[in-house]
Amino acid sequence: MQNKIKPELLAPAGDLEKLKIAVLYGADAVYIGGEAYSLRAKAKNFDKEAMAEGIRFAHEHGAKVYVTANIFAHNADFEGMADYFKEIYELGADAVLISDLGVFAVAREAAPDLEIHVSTQANNTNYQSARMWYQLGARRVVVARELSLREIREIREKIPADMEIEAFVHGAMCISYSGRCLLSNYLSGRDANKGACAHPCRWKYHLVEETRPGEYMPIEENERGTYIYNSKDLCMIDHIPDLIDAGVVSLKIEGRMKTPFYVGTVIKAYRQAIDDYFEDPAKYEQKREYYLDEVSKASHRDYTTAFYYGRPDGNQQVYTNNSYIRPYDFIGVVQEASDAEGYAWIEQRNKFSVGEEIEVMPAKGPSFSMTVTEIYNEAGESVESAPHPQEKLRVKFSQPVQPFDMMRKFLSDTK
């Protein structure tokens, strides 16, 4: 495609397994958290050894690794911070994501050659702030989720040509502006701005407001209350041309705490959509429903385009429940390539049984369906089902499989 820059597909990686899956399933880059300074304290995250292995694996496969350090720092957080930035630079990290000016200053001094991206937590809503970050040494800004495509396009026009724009295109939305929220602190004592959010926006509430007569919140959907703060999930897979036209060069998927199945499913779908668009826009147009169907196979809430096409209204919330739509069960991941007879060792994640119809999703190429005909445990005994999580099993496959290919089965109850 002429005069179009192919955007980077940026994937979440909450641990080493998810990093490898993200890269193998098509991510151009991944973002990870270290054991400190990251906004996902509940994710497994990466110690020094895991980070070194992850960076090495990504680079061997032509992908980049960005390390998040986007907390709002207090005085005590600066102890050891300079050494941390030196360490991740020496490990080969391609960039670090930062939202706090003090943290930014420490990173610039400790590792001056480490590229800095400004996190969405910094409330990047205008071109003036982007210019200022650029003058301080940043080379990429992650724009706030609250911006429209029109606003992003204007930022692109008014910032230096070599400054990049990254934007979230898929995943959970936050009820608070750019994720700056004190609700979790107030209700549970867990600091959302230190990575420990309890997600009280997903809880159910009864709300009464005495001083605004005539303004009624939808609080009577059922007898148990309503989930008035519970946002739908963002999905822009069928709007990729608009994102590119607005000047976004990195399409970011949310979900460092999501499952490997979620990461592989979503990344593969976006990889196909981006590649199809750059191969032939008409091909992309014809397959829009297919892409939506593919990302919908991972657990999700109802989808929305959020702020991209205008200010959201009440239809962007899920009022009736806080559960996910879960059409498929992640039942296993292949550990080694299948042998000449079609057998391969897998690690089981959810129960499946002989006689069930399952689907295999390879990192590359189309998925295929098969009936499970043979399962063997580690002792070589034939078994009828696999009920124990993370059990190692030998399974007969109908087509060749490779390490990190994933197995899933359709669920009749999708809620």
Side-chain angles (χ1 to χ4, degrees), residues 291-319:
Y291 308 135
L292 278 171
D293 183 61
E294 285 300 302
V295 294
S296 296
K297 290 179 179 179
S299 62
H300 64 284
R301 301 177 185 91
D302 290 331
Y303 286 134
T304 174
T305 56
F307 291 81
Y308 279 119
Y309 294 100
R311 188 172 297 277
D313 56 25
N315 292 321
Q316 312 310 310
Q317 305 299 107
V318 183
Y319 296 115

Side-chain angles (χ1 to χ4, degrees), residues 28-303:
D28 298 304
V30 297
Y31 61 101
I32 68 174
E35 293 185 306
Y37 314 121
S38 168
L39 275 183
R40 286 296 180 270
K42 290 174 67 179
K44 292 182 180 179
N45 292 322
F46 289 73
D47 59 20
K48 181 178 179 180
E49 290 72 25
M51 190 178 294
E53 182 179 347
I55 291 171
R56 182 170 58 251
F57 182 90
H59 288 175
E60 286 173 353
H61 290 81
K64 295 181 178 181
V65 177
Y66 308 143
V67 180
T68 58
N70 52 350
I71 65 166
F72 297 125
H74 292 259
N75 293 332
D77 294 316
F78 290 100
E79 184 176 350
M81 185 180 288
D83 292 335
Y84 177 74
F85 286 125
K86 290 176 183 177
E87 183 176 273
I88 63 174
Y89 174 71
E90 290 168 358
L91 289 175
D94 296 281
V96 61
L97 283 108
I98 291 173
S99 57
D100 183 282
L101 273 169
V103 177
F104 192 105
V106 172
R108 287 286 290 164
E109 182 176 351
D113 294 325
L114 179 61
E115 186 170 306
I116 297 178
H117 299 170
V118 183
S119 169
T120 189
Q121 299 294 127
N123 295 106
N124 301 302
T125 60
N126 61 80
Y127 62 85
Q128 290 287 15
S129 63
R131 285 175 177 173
M132 181 57 68
W133 284 115
Y134 180 84
Q135 291 171 16
L136 291 174
R139 285 300 174 266
R140 178 182 291 188
V141 61
V142 187
V143 292
R145 287 178 173 91
E146 295 76 21
L147 294 185
S148 67
L149 288 170
R150 178 185 57 79
E151 291 173 301
I152 293 172
R153 188 177 296 108
E154 184 176 3
I155 291 173
R156 174 66 275 164
E157 292 169 352
K158 295 183 177 180
I159 61 175
D162 60 342
M163 189 177 199
E164 298 177 338
I165 293 178
E166 177 182 309
F168 280 96
V169 299
H170 193 94
M173 295 289 289
C174 182
I175 193 66
S176 296
Y177 213 93
S178 293
R180 292 195 176 194
C181 182
L182 296 177
L183 194 60
S184 178
N185 302 53
Y186 181 75
L187 294 176
S188 69
R190 288 167 49 177
D191 192 343
N193 299 312
K194 286 293 189 69
C197 185
H199 302 289
C201 55
R202 309 295 181 188
W203 301 351
K204 58 189 176 188
Y205 295 90
H206 293 273
L207 182 65
V208 177
E209 211 291 313
E210 295 181 347
T211 63
R212 299 165 69 186
E215 294 187 29
Y216 302 102
M217 296 301 292
I219 60 171
E220 296 181 352
E221 277 75 15
N222 59 49
E223 69 278 4
R224 293 173 289 116
T226 184
Y227 301 84
I228 58 173
Y229 304 123
N230 185 31
S231 174
K232 293 180 180 179
D233 283 356
L234 176 65
C235 179
M236 290 289 287
I237 198 166
D238 57 341
H239 300 282
I240 286 174
D242 292 346
L243 290 160
I244 295 170
D245 289 342
V248 178
V249 300
S250 181
L251 308 183
K252 188 170 191 173
I253 310 298
E254 181 274 339
R256 274 192 286 152
M257 293 174 62
K258 299 290 180 64
T259 67
F261 177 63
Y262 174 92
V263 172
T265 301
V266 173
I267 292 303
K268 184 175 182 179
Y270 272 85
R271 177 77 280 150
Q272 290 177 312
I274 294 168
D275 290 348
D276 286 347
Y277 176 64
F278 276 81
E279 178 186 334
D280 182 359
K283 181 179 181 181
Y284 170 82
E285 291 293 331
Q286 294 167 1
K287 293 177 64 177
R288 284 190 181 209
E289 287 189 19
Y290 164 79
Y291 308 135
L292 278 171
D293 183 61
E294 285 300 302
V295 294
S296 296
K297 290 179 179 179
S299 62
H300 64 284
R301 301 177 185 91
D302 290 331
Y303 286 134

